[in-house]
């Protein structure tokens, strides 16, 4: 009836008022909000500090611990890759190396991968884990802290500590240039973010492949050891009858 209708309208107005308050608190109703653009990034500085809790992939007795290095790349841009030096015989390596990555746009993610260096041209480097640092976590505010690695091994909880600083370009208005179209800025940012998100999915698949490949390599090593043990057992169990002939 009419009473119910009035109540519904009153409730609707109450809901609208609550939404207005939320929007006002969020800043979306401010006149400056519509002019907000994605940050214009000149470059980023990535400091790869240290890792901890890594597994030891050098399981052969007498070979020591892993010889670890870390790679960083802007997802979807393989040519941006940088790499630390190798820290030998360690499962808690410390590098504290800084790299400047100029080919970066807001919305793109960073990928870190850790490897154990093996003998070149003889055996591929062992995969020790990786992590993707999403753009929203460091651009433009920067980031410093530990990131948990995925694919570090069964039951292994490993971490990588990094620091990322973002250097922004001056506002175009400050330079006296005509302001760039908001639509163009938004499209560029969305395209960059979309490509980086697709690259992140591919990176996840690559991590899965790397883990499977590592498991296959471990299985191959176990089979080789079993063959050696089997030969040794066979030789021990077979009597030497040459002296009785």
């Amino acid at each position: 009836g009419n009473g119910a209708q009035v109540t519904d309208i009153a409730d609707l107005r109450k809901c609208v008022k609550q939404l207005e308050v939320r929007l006002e608190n969020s800043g979306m109703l401010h006149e400056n909000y519509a002019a907000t653009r994605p940050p214009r990034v000149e470059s980023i500085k990535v400091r790869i500090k240290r890792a901890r809790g890594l597994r030891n992939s050098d399981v052969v007795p007498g070979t020591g611990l892993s010889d670890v290095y870390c790679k960083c790349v802007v997802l979807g841009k393989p040519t941006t890759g940088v790499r630390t030096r190798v820290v030998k015989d360690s499962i808690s390596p410390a590098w504290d190396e800084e790299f400047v990555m100029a080919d970066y746009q807001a919305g793109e993610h960073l990928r870190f991968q850790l490897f154990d260096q093996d003998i070149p041209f003889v055996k591929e480097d062992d995969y020790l884990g990786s992590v993707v640092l999403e753009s929203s976590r460091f651009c433009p505010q920067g980031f410093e802290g530990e990131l948990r690695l995925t694919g570090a091994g069964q039951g292994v909880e490993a971490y990588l500590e990094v620091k990322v600083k973002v250097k922004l370009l001056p506002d175009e208005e400050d330079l006296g240039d005509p302001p760039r179209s908001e639509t163009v800025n938004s499209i560029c940012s969305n395209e960059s973010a979309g490509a980086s998100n697709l690259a992140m999915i591919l990176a996840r698949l690559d991590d899965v492949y790397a883990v499977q490949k590592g498991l296959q390599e471990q299985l191959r090593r176990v089979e080789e050891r079993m063959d050696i043990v089997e030969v040794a057992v066979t030789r021990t169990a077979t009597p030497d009858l040459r002296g009785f002939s």
Side-chain angles (χ1 to χ4, degrees):
N2 292 336
Q5 232 176 8
V6 170
T7 302
D8 290 343
I9 293 174
D11 289 342
L12 181 59
R13 287 177 176 172
K14 186 177 180 180
C15 290
V16 170
K17 184 63 178 177
Q18 289 175 347
L19 286 174
E20 288 179 350
V21 171
R22 291 183 182 181
L23 288 172
E24 178 67 27
N25 292 337
S26 70
M28 294 179 68
L29 296 181
H30 295 171
E31 59 180 12
N32 292 332
Y33 186 87
T36 300
R37 295 196 302 262
R40 300 174 62 239
V41 179
E42 178 179 331
S43 64
I44 58 175
K45 285 185 179 180
V46 178
R47 180 173 291 274
I48 301 175
K49 292 188 171 183
R50 60 184 65 86
R52 64 180 177 91
L54 302 176
R55 67 181 177 87
N56 179 27
S57 63
D58 290 340
V59 294
V60 178
T63 57
L65 301 177
S66 298
D67 303 325
V68 190
Y69 64 91
C70 179
K71 296 168 67 175
C72 176
V73 66
V74 176
L75 274 179
K77 295 180 176 179
T79 58
T80 62
V82 295
R83 169 180 162 168
T84 67
R85 69 185 187 280
V86 176
V87 174
K88 293 186 175 295
D89 292 328
S90 178
I91 55 173
S92 299
W95 301 280
D96 201 28
E97 295 185 40
E98 187 174 79
F99 305 91
V100 176
M101 306 178 80
D103 188 11
Y104 177 83
Q105 291 184 358
E108 295 176 330
H109 313 306
L110 296 177
R111 185 191 192 194
F112 299 88
Q113 292 177 294
L114 278 72
F115 295 91
D116 169 33
Q117 185 181 59
D118 284 303
I119 303 173
F121 309 110
V122 175
K123 180 178 175 296
E124 289 188 5
D125 295 348
D126 292 321
Y127 171 81
L128 298 177
S130 70
V131 62
V132 173
L133 181 61
E134 297 184 16
S135 176
S136 60
R137 298 186 65 184
F138 68 87
C139 185
Q141 71 276 10
F143 174 87
E144 184 172 10
E146 285 192 325
L147 303 167
R148 184 170 180 177
L149 300 176
T150 59
Q154 185 174 4
V156 176
E157 189 170 312
Y159 295 86
L160 175 69
E161 184 178 350
V162 301
K163 181 178 181 180
V164 181
K165 295 177 65 176
V166 180
K167 184 177 182 181
L168 300 177
L169 288 167
D171 288 339
E172 291 168 334
E173 290 83 355
D174 296 341
L175 299 176
D177 296 331
R180 194 179 185 189
S181 166
E182 299 299 333
T183 304
V184 172
N185 273 313
S186 178
I187 290 175
C188 290
S189 179
N190 290 338
E191 287 180 349
S192 177
S196 196
N197 287 333
L198 176 59
M200 183 164 59
I201 295 173
L202 296 176
R204 300 295 191 197
L205 294 174
D206 188 40
D207 288 341
V208 172
Y209 172 74
V211 171
Q212 291 179 338
K213 194 171 183 180
L215 292 174
Q216 289 176 347
E217 177 64 20
Q218 292 180 28
L219 179 60
R220 185 187 64 79
R221 293 178 184 176
V222 170
E223 290 175 344
E224 288 179 351
R225 291 180 189 175
M226 291 179 64
D227 291 340
I228 294 173
V229 171
E230 184 178 357
V231 171
V233 170
T234 303
R235 288 179 178 175
T236 304
T238 304
D240 188 355
L241 304 177
R242 288 177 295 179
F244 297 96
S245 57

